[in-house]
Structures are given as C-alpha cells and as structure tokens.
Amino acid sequence: MTQDHKQQAEAEWWSTAIIEMEPGVIRYRGYPIEELIGRASFAQMIWLLLRGELPSRDQAALLDIALMAAVDHGPQAPSIAIARMAATCGVGLNNAMASAVNVLGDVHGGAGEQALEFYFGIAEAINGGAEIEAAAASALDAFFADGGRFLPGFGHRFHPVDPRAPRLLAMVDDYAKKGAVSGHYATIARAVESALARCKGKTVPMNIDGATAVIYAELGFPPPLARGLFCLSRSVGILAHAWEEMQSGLRNKGPLPRERLWNYLGPPQRPVIGLEEG
Amino acid sequence: MTQDHKQQAEAEWWSTAIIEMEPGVIRYRGYPIEELIGRASFAQMIWLLLRGELPSRDQAALLDIALMAAVDHGPQAPSIAIARMAATCGVGLNNAMASAVNVLGDVHGGAGEQALEFYFGIAEAINGGAEIEAAAASALDAFFADGGRFLPGFGHRFHPVDPRAPRLLAMVDDYAKKGAVSGHYATIARAVESALARCKGKTVPMNIDGATAVIYAELGFPPPLARGLFCLSRSVGILAHAWEEMQSGLRNKGPLPRERLWNYLGPPQRPVIGLEEG
Amino acid sequence: MTQDHKQQAEAEWWSTAIIEMEPGVIRYRGYPIEELIGRASFAQMIWLLLRGELPSRDQAALLDIALMAAVDHGPQAPSIAIARMAATCGVGLNNAMASAVNVLGDVHGGAGEQALEFYFGIAEAINGGAEIEAAAASALDAFFADGGRFLPGFGHRFHPVDPRAPRLLAMVDDYAKKGAVSGHYATIARAVESALARCKGKTVPMNIDGATAVIYAELGFPPPLARGLFCLSRSVGILAHAWEEMQSGLRNKGPLPRERLWNYLGPPQRPVIGLEEG
Amino acid sequence: MTQDHKQQAEAEWWSTAIIEMEPGVIRYRGYPIEELIGRASFAQMIWLLLRGELPSRDQAALLDIALMAAVDHGPQAPSIAIARMAATCGVGLNNAMASAVNVLGDVHGGAGEQALEFYFGIAEAINGGAEIEAAAASALDAFFADGGRFLPGFGHRFHPVDPRAPRLLAMVDDYAKKGAVSGHYATIARAVESALARCKGKTVPMNIDGATAVIYAELGFPPPLARGLFCLSRSVGILAHAWEEMQSGLRNKGPLPRERLWNYLGPPQRPVIGLEEG
C-alpha cells in the first residue's frame, strides 16, 4: 500500500451519507440545517436521518404516533426501574438513560422488531401467491413448531387488552383511508390475531409492539429500526422517571426498602478450611 | 415497625406521579392513553411526562424545534463515533445507543444545562433590580474569575458561526411575537453574546447549546432537563449512525483502519526480572 | 393469591445463593467474609462467587493466568478506543468503563464463549465414541457448512502468531502434568488447530480466545462465563486507558483530530421544498 | 499546518504508554506478554497497567486483598439489582455488566475515592507540621462546615460494624509490620475514626470504603483509581448475580413481582381537552 493509498484508506475509514460539514455549514442528507429548522418536525428529522429522504406530512404524523404511544409502561419494567435506581447513585441523567436503554434487548425491547419480521414473512408469502389467512396460519404454525412460545406483538402479561393497540390500529385505518399508507399490514396483523385466536382457542389480542410494528411496516422501516425507534420512544419515559427520582433525594435506591433483605438460598454458614493466611 | 407499616413502606418504595396502570388501563398524568393517541404529538408527550401538564400547541412546537435541531453533529463527536464502533461489535442497536448516550456528560452533553444555569443566574439578578447589560457583564466576570475558560453555549471549535444558532433564535423571536413565550431569555442570551464580545475583543457567537438553552429557558425547563432533552435529541443521530454502520458489515471497527497502529510512548522493551514462574 | 402467599412471593422475588447478610454479617456461599479476607485470593473469590465452592490453589492459579493474559490489546480495539474517548467527555471512570465493557459483544468479546462451545461439542462427540481427530474435523466441516467464516479462537487479523496463545497452552500443559487439570481440552484444541490447517491449506494458529477457552474448559466453566470472565479481564485495560486519557486533559476526543473530517457519501446540497414554515 | 505536520498530528492522536504492538509482539509497559504470563499475577498486571511498573509481591498481595474484599454486597445495592434485572431482558452478560458498573457513581461507588482524598488532605496537613489528631479533627470540622453529612468511608446504613473493615485494617497492620507499607494511612484513618466518634458522641466505625481507601493510600494510588479499582472488584459480584439470574429463566424481571404495582401519586383520571384529533 503506497502512502497515498494509505491516506486514502484512512480518509475513507470514517464515512457517512448522513451528515456533511464545513466550517459554518451543516447539511443532513444534503439539506442545509438552517432550511430545515422551522420547517421539518422532530419526527421528520428522525425519518430523514434514518431513511435518507424527507417523509410526507402524513408519513411523519404516523411515525410521530408510534413514537408517542410507547413512551412509558411504568417502573415495573426493568428499564424504568433501572433509570430510577441509577438516578440515586450519583451519576448524570445521560448515564441513567444509558443504563436503562441498554436493557431494551431481545426480550424487553425486541418484540416490535420480531413482529415486523413476522409480518414481513407473511407479506412475502402473499406476494408469492398465498392467501392472507392461509399465510398467517402457516406462519403461526411454523413459529410454534420452531419452539416459539410467546408470539411477539400479541398478548400481554398484565393487560387483558392493551388499550394502546386498538387505538393505534384505528389510526392506521384512518391514514389508509386517506391513502397515506396501504393498510396492507393492518390487514395482515388482524389476520394473525384471528389465526392466533383459532390456534389458542381464546383471544390473544395485539399489544403495543404488534401495533407499532404495523405502523413501522406500513411506513417501510426495516425490522431492526423498530427496536431503534422503540428505544427513542421509551427514552422519554426513562428520562421522566430518572428525573422524578433524582428529585426524591434518595441515595442508592435498591429494589426494596433498606429494611428488607433478599431471600438467601445458598449453603449455611461454614468455616474456611484449607486456605492458609496471606 | 409493625407488619402493616412494613407493607406500607414497601408499597410506597416504588411511587410515581407519571403513570397509573390497572389491567386494561394506562394513564399518563391522569390522561387515558387512548385519548392521547392521535391528539397529543410526540413533543407534547415528552412535555407531559416531564412537566406534568400538556403544553400548548406553540410550546410543543418550540420544544419540537429544539429537539430537531440537535440530532447530529457527525462522527467526529465521540458519542457518534462510539455508536458506530459499537455497531460493529455484535451488540444490539439498543446497546450501541446506550454506550453512546452514556458519554453525553458534563463536557460533551452538559453545555446546554450549564448555559441554562447561566441565563437563570442573570435573570435572577435582573429580578433583583440589575440592568440586563450589567447583569450579563457581571455574570461573565464571575465566570472567568472563577477559572472558567469556555463559556457554555458560546463559541465553537469548528464553526466560525454555528448555522443552527441564529436560525433557532429567529424562531424564538417569532414565537415571542405571537406571545407564545416572553422572549426574555433571547434578550439575555444576546446580552451575554455582546458582553462576551466586549470581554474577548472579538465575536464569540452563540452555538447550538446556547440557542437551545434559550428555548428551554423560555419554556421553563429546569437546567438538568436541558441535558436530558439533548440526550433524547442526539439519540436520533446516534441511532442513525449506528444503523448505517451496522449495514457496513465491518467487524470490530476501531478508530483507525487496521493497518494503522497507535503511537507508543512508554518504556522500550525490557525483560521481566525478579518474578518467579508459577 | 392470599395476602400470605403474596408476601411470600414478594419475599422470594429477590433470591440468591451467592450472598447472605445480617447486620454485622456478610457471608459468601456460606463463608464469613472476615475468614476469607487474607486467605482467599481475588481469583479464588471470583471462582467462589461464580461457581459456589472455593477452588484449589492450582485451579485459582490457572484462572488467574487466563485473567491476566487478556487485559489489553490496545486502542485499535473498539472497547479501548471507546474508553479513551469517553474519558474526555466529562463522565466518571465507572461510566467510561461501562460504555466500553458494553461493546464486548458477540463479535468483540464472544470468541472465547464460542470457542468453548466448539470444544465442548467435540468433547461430547468423543464421549459418544468418536476419535479426537475425526471429531475435530467433523465439527469444523459442520461449522463451515453452516456458513461459518472465522473459527472463533483461531487466526488473528493482526498477529501471524498470537504470542499469548502458545505460552498459555504451555501453562495448561504444566498444570496438566501436575494433575491439576486433565489436559483433555488442550488436546482437543490442538486437534482443531491441525484440522483447520489441513482444511485451509495453511496454519491458522490458535489465538488468545482459543487459548483462554482451553483454560476455562479445563476448569469446567460454562461457555457464557468465558465471555463474563473476558469482560472482567479486559476491564483492566479499559480502566488503564480511560485513566491515562483522563489525564491528557483533552475534551471530547473524537476518532480523528479536530482538523480532520469524515468522508461524506450522501446527496449533494439540495433545497428543502414542499415544507411550510412553522 | 503542512501535510507532514497533519500526518504527524494524526499519528499522535492515538498515543499510549501502556501497550506496544507489532505483528506477533505485544508488550505492556515494555514487558513482552510471553514473559509476563506465568510470572505476573492478575493483581500485578492490574498494577502494571495502571502504574507503569511491576509491584513487589507484597504490594500486589495487598492490592489483591482490597479487590477480593469488595466484590459484592447483595441485590439491595442498585448495581447488583440492575445486573440481575438486565440479565432477564435478552442482552449479553457484557451488557448486563455495563448497565450495572455504570451506576457506580459518586454516591454508589465514589466513597473510596472521596475517603482517599480525605486521608490525603490530612496527610498533607501532617506534612505541613500538624499533629495527627489535630489534623483529623480539623479536616472533619471542615467537612461538616462545608455541608457534608455522611463522611465517606465511615458508618453504614445496614451494618453496625462492617465486618470487612477491621479485618482489612488488620491486614494493613501485618504488611506494615513486614515493612511492605508504611502504615501511615492506617494511623490516619484510625485518628479520623476517633475524631468522628468524639464529634458525633458515638462510634461511627470505618466501613469497607474507608478500609480499602487505607490500602489504596498505602499503595500510593491516586483517588480516582480507588473508584476504578472498586469497579473492577464489584464487577465480580455484578457478573455472578447476572449469571445466576440469567439461569432463572425469568423474562423482564422488574423490582416487584408482576402482581404488584407501584404507588401512583399523580392527578386522578381526567379527559384530554383542547387537543384536536390528528
């Protein structure tokens, strides 16, 4: 590698199509920031940075709805509890947010991503000629045959019906009527809900993750961004709880008040034998 | 403590005024989620969770502007570089976001918070009877006398003029004309800019942090939330860069291409002496 | 659920076999802390907490070797670069460590875990009657047939021969000679190395992850703990680099000096059209 | 800046005195890794990376003791609870460790650092000619006059006497008798304990942080490394608890079992008014 090629390689090591800068100039995806400010909303900027183009007003409105609907589910969620405990440990709000967002993993924050993949699989089968009910039923069969237990996006361990899901789906219907989105994934998700009810012998209604996944699918987001966008959304609740707790003045808040200890399950007291001192 | 009091104490250990839940019911600050969906925007939800009440449409619009303006400043910023490198290490997007948001500390993410405190100090002096120019000059003197070097919210190591700041201030002026905000903090920030220019003998223009701090001050946010809101905003750029890098297929991306090593400054090679084996 | 059962369920929600406490009393796995201090080494405590029993002196010594050998591989590794950049952002050493440890994911920190699983698979085949060379060759075939590209624990993108691996394997041989471990996994790993060389037509020597995985296998650690122990080990280098950088006084250190920008690959400058103001 | 200077600046941007590499070569502080393996213990490597030179055997043994004594204090500590909850969210052990280590901030992990600073201040006064009792009393007075409430390193909210502290101090005495350390900081810490008892009218005994700070002071570590080393030590308990919980199979473990909700303190149910749909 010549010196020139080496410099070239280094110059290209840090590359991006998101942002361009010169002294006094900032452009996102080609748009000067000073033209965006006052014209593009926060939701439009999120879309622009993630997708490369500005969304229509309706697309941005639907994205905004998915983001506003998932902000918080209370301190029983590990992410929120972590944010609150972190806020009492002498770290900054940014650190409390980080410890909390960090746990939005496959189990806690991944259901939207997994639901999106599930819907996309059904859509592909439909594209290949399958009928929607058959495609949904067959995807479900495959899920359970593969050892799946909880279908991502359906059912809730606390809410018999998640109050967010029907309202979100109604919004999708409204935007589909306006022609802003196709409504195809709302139909698919409802077919999944029906097939699941037949399969389980009882209704297992769509939850927030299943419903926001419909929105993200309608808007054309790839599955991993369903998780990314959920992280943005839940960061709001995480911040709010961290801030509320920070004002409590508690120090080193644990999961239980300090009088309460955990349940010890290990061996009883025993002496250390066979290890010499020092 | 009786058994009853103990139970009471435990029940109260996890308390919040943000969210209330029952099976099938979610309310934020008293508002049922199904009534908020489709009516309250993402920015309004952010405000509601952080402040306890729904903002006016103009207040939410101004908050939205502060959030959309700070989403990204490119991979030279440690937070963005960290997000990109993390995305090549086999962790989830939530983890990449966490490692990055985590470094938005006093130096990288704290300028808005510090600028807000600075403005609030001047506002207090004005409330106490001082004239605005005198209050700004005196706050600056105190800052430098106290060993301060870089006034938070002013000057930029890369941009001679940060293109976001004048545009953001113009937006505040617009909203002040409409009566949505007072405009008081825009006046204070401009007085600080003038006093700083006199003090330094050259213009040290307001930057994004100084300008968003004006917005947060106009909207009545306490200083720590300026950092919290910046974290929300920058999380967008962090997510976008992590996602772009994740698609590159690189593995374990370091700061320099793999042919390049760092500069070693320590002692030359030397033998290990005086330590026996095993 | 009666009130009594509810209390019981809550009492058991936080359970552990690791530590027991009463006022003035701390016991790990049954051993009083005051008896352990001065008798059990750091490596022995690590073992005790993870495994439930105190290791022999030789077992602890071999664990100590695996831990000391993987502490650092320089700032080209994303984890170390992240620690250094974080340290310039105004966060604590604990935060810098967290952002860095967080990226020791499947790609950056998972090779030891994956190598351990690979060795265990071969050991199982041998237990089932296979000969060692055949078992190694067949496991390799399966790995490549399954789309695997880089066999975890073998080969290095920088070192033709990783200087840590042969020395670590020699230590395992020494401890096997003493009877402290069986040496079975050292034999398996060497069989893998031979099979891989035949398969690739050139030597692809064992690296640090392959060698520490031999140690962890000899000591009976389950695969996920190979990653956990690597995190402990690398935390040392992470801390050392964060601390060194913290003393540099740099602020917001990016991957490149501030004069250098990244390579922009997106669309050229374009006007924002179709979005109305405010 | 000429092209040459620019290249030079970039080459020096990533610099370190900790590690040197060439293909096939790794040296820490000048020592080849293959000479260290089998000779230097984990504690000696920690010292070498942080301090630049290999410690004596006794120095390393004392560091080892400080590290082994602080590994865990149970799931009532936020860091441990966070590790356990994170482990149920579908993230890796490295991520669970990161979320937990991240909260070892000023309040949760900073007491050792603060105690070390406090001891060093007294040592400086003694160097300046003050008598030890007077220096301790005067430092205490200054601490309380400055608004300090809990003297870092003394007192414990759970243990009347922290069983780790007297045993650790006894170890320091042993090593001081051998001449491995001076014992000066053990004397200072005991003088602080006496002055505090006089001041408060009751014994407020030294805790683990006060005792490990004595060890770190005797060994010459700067205060921030007391926090860094505590993070290394507590990472062991964090890993052990995350691992134990990961095996429980629980999903999204919150601070309370799922039947239990938090205590809601906000406004009662109210309708959303004044916000139009969509």
Side-chain angles (χ1 to χ4, degrees), chain A residues 10-277:
Chain A
E10 285 177 34
E12 288 170 9
W13 187 244
W14 288 95
S15 297
T16 178
I18 298 171
I19 181 170
E20 186 178 18
M21 265 177 35
E22 298 160 29
V25 173
I26 301 173
R27 286 190 288 264
Y28 299 109
R29 305 284 192 184
Y31 296 117
I33 179 65
E34 63 276 17
E35 294 191 30
L36 290 166
I37 293 175
R39 287 197 188 84
S41 70
F42 190 36
Q44 282 171 312
M45 282 296 278
I46 294 170
W47 183 298
L48 176 64
L49 263 68
L50 292 174
R51 305 282 292 269
E53 298 297 332
L54 281 163
S56 73
R57 196 181 146 162
D58 280 342
Q59 287 172 322
L62 207 43
L63 171 59
D64 192 279
I65 287 168
L67 291 168
M68 69 72 71
V71 288
D72 187 23
H73 200 251
Q76 220 179 20
S79 52
I80 298 295
I82 287 172
R84 295 192 74 108
M85 297 196 299
T88 69
C89 293
V91 299
L93 275 172
N94 55 307
N95 307 122
M97 291 173 74
S99 274
V101 168
N102 203 34
V103 306
L104 300 175
D106 287 347
V107 172
H108 189 8
E113 176 174 359
Q114 295 148 19
L116 202 48
E117 277 164 4
F118 193 75
Y119 298 157
F120 281 165
I122 294 170
E124 211 175 323
I126 295 168
N127 280 346
E131 278 194 80
I132 189 162
E133 274 82 27
S138 143
L140 259 188
D141 288 348
F143 176 80
F144 290 118
D146 205 43
R149 286 180 58 207
F150 307 106
L151 185 68
F154 293 82
H156 201 285
R157 65 186 204 178
F158 182 78
H159 299 298
V161 176
D162 185 330
R164 299 163 291 188
R167 186 80 184 110
L168 288 170
L169 231 60
M171 300 302 304
V172 174
D173 292 344
D174 287 353
Y175 280 84
K177 257 176 235 152
K178 287 202 257 180
V181 294
S182 73
H184 186 45
Y185 289 96
T187 310
I188 287 175
R190 284 176 173 125
V192 171
E193 200 173 36
S194 301
L196 187 59
R198 280 193 302 274
C199 182
K200 292 283 187 188
K202 61 169 183 181
T203 310
V204 183
M206 197 182 304
N207 60 30
I208 175 90
D209 300 308
T212 50
V214 168
I215 296 182
Y216 295 135
E218 294 283 347
L219 297 175
F221 281 94
L225 287 183
R227 184 179 327 187
L229 290 165
F230 173 67
C231 289
L232 278 185
S233 175
R234 185 54 55 95
S235 290
V236 175
I238 285 168
L239 171 59
H241 282 275
W243 171 238
E244 191 189 53
E245 186 71 57
M246 203 170 263
Q247 294 169 285
S248 75
L250 284 177
R251 292 163 59 92
N252 294 332
K253 178 190 178 104
L256 296 168
R258 77 183 63 168
E259 297 75 20
R260 271 287 300 280
L261 286 181
W262 57 90
N263 190 34
Y264 176 66
L265 304 172
Q269 180 172 350
R270 50 183 174 165
V272 175
I273 49 177
L275 291 184
E276 303 149 42
E277 280 222 27

Side-chain angles (χ1 to χ4, degrees), chain C residues 10 13 28 72 253-254 260, chain D residues 10 13 28 72 253-254 260:
Chain C
E10 286 177 34
W13 188 243
Y28 299 110
D72 186 23
K253 178 192 178 102
R260 271 288 299 283
Chain D
E10 285 177 34
W13 187 244
Y28 299 110
D72 187 22
K253 179 192 178 100
R260 270 287 300 281

Side-chain angles (χ1 to χ4, degrees), chain D residues 101-124:
Chain D
V101 168
N102 203 33
V103 306
L104 300 174
D106 287 348
V107 173
H108 189 10
E113 177 175 359
Q114 295 147 20
L116 201 48
E117 278 164 3
F118 193 75
Y119 299 157
F120 280 166
I122 294 170
E124 210 175 323

